[in-house]
Amino acid sequence: MTIDDLTIRPATDDDWPQIFPFWTRIVDEGRTYAYPTDLTSTQARPLWMEQPPGRTTVAVDEGGAVLGSAKMGPNRPGRGAHIATASFMVDPGRRTRGVGRALGEDMLTWARSEGYAGVQFNAVVETNEAAVRLWRSLGFDVIGTVPGAFDHPEHGPVGLHVMFRQLP
């Protein structure tokens, strides 16, 4: 697969059955997300499938297989709604193919087109080196770290980075 074989589009209800298995695997591994483990599909769906003004996207290959997904929207309501936030998951079996980068670039394009002044990630696990490296390469800075805010299964309490990128 090349990035040219990848399509990013809004997620539909029909995509959730393909998202949920890797969503569950990633959450249950406990290395990158603080969502509760052992959620049913019905419980997990509203945590990932955004409603307007947010959006959820999927990255699909030529055969229609969902390789990854992103959700995005305003970071806070009201006076904080001019800053976007987003979360990303790539099927663990499909990593290192540029799917996460493509989802991130798509999110930045969307945030600019929606008039957001910046994008803030509220909780990037500091030991998630691949994500930190990716977001830095897309212009994000670590603007603070909450020490010990994430209970990592191997490392114990580790920091959560707050990362930010201003948009033109």
Side-chain angles (χ1 to χ4, degrees):
M1 182 199 90
T2 67
I3 228 46
D4 295 333
D5 301 329
L6 184 69
T7 300
I8 298 176
R9 61 167 172 75
T12 68
D13 289 339
D14 292 339
D15 294 317
W16 180 246
Q18 287 191 69
I19 297 168
F20 182 63
F22 66 80
W23 188 96
T24 299
R25 180 175 169 193
I26 291 166
V27 170
D28 288 351
E29 284 174 350
R31 292 177 179 86
T32 55
Y33 280 93
Y35 290 123
T37 57
D38 300 321
L39 295 179
T40 67
S41 175
T42 302
Q43 293 168 319
R45 189 180 185 288
L47 296 174
W48 195 256
M49 300 296 280
E50 288 287 321
Q51 298 300 310
R55 104 190 235 254
T56 299
T57 58
V58 288
V60 297
D61 67 13
E62 290 178 322
V66 175
L67 310 177
S69 182
K71 69 176 203 150
M72 59 209 75
N75 189 49
R76 306 293 307 153
R79 294 188 179 274
H82 62 289
I83 301 296
T85 192
S87 297
F88 304 84
M89 288 192 183
V90 175
D91 184 333
R94 314 288 178 105
R95 290 186 181 148
T96 71
R97 299 178 185 183
V99 175
R101 176 173 294 280
L103 286 164
E105 290 171 349
D106 176 79
M107 178 276 301
L108 289 168
T109 299
W110 172 82
R112 277 190 210 92
S113 74
E114 293 295 309
Y116 287 97
V119 180
Q120 176 179 324
F121 298 150
N122 299 309
V124 180
V125 178
E126 70 181 345
T127 56
N128 187 351
E129 295 172 1
V132 173
R133 187 171 45 255
L134 172 60
W135 303 135
R136 284 185 187 275
S137 78
L138 290 175
F140 286 82
D141 293 312
V142 174
I143 60 169
T145 302
V146 182
F150 185 82
D151 187 15
H152 194 282
E154 285 93 32
H155 305 294
V158 298
L160 286 176
H161 290 322
V162 177
M163 299 186 78
F164 181 75
R165 177 182 168 165
Q166 191 165 356
L167 295 176

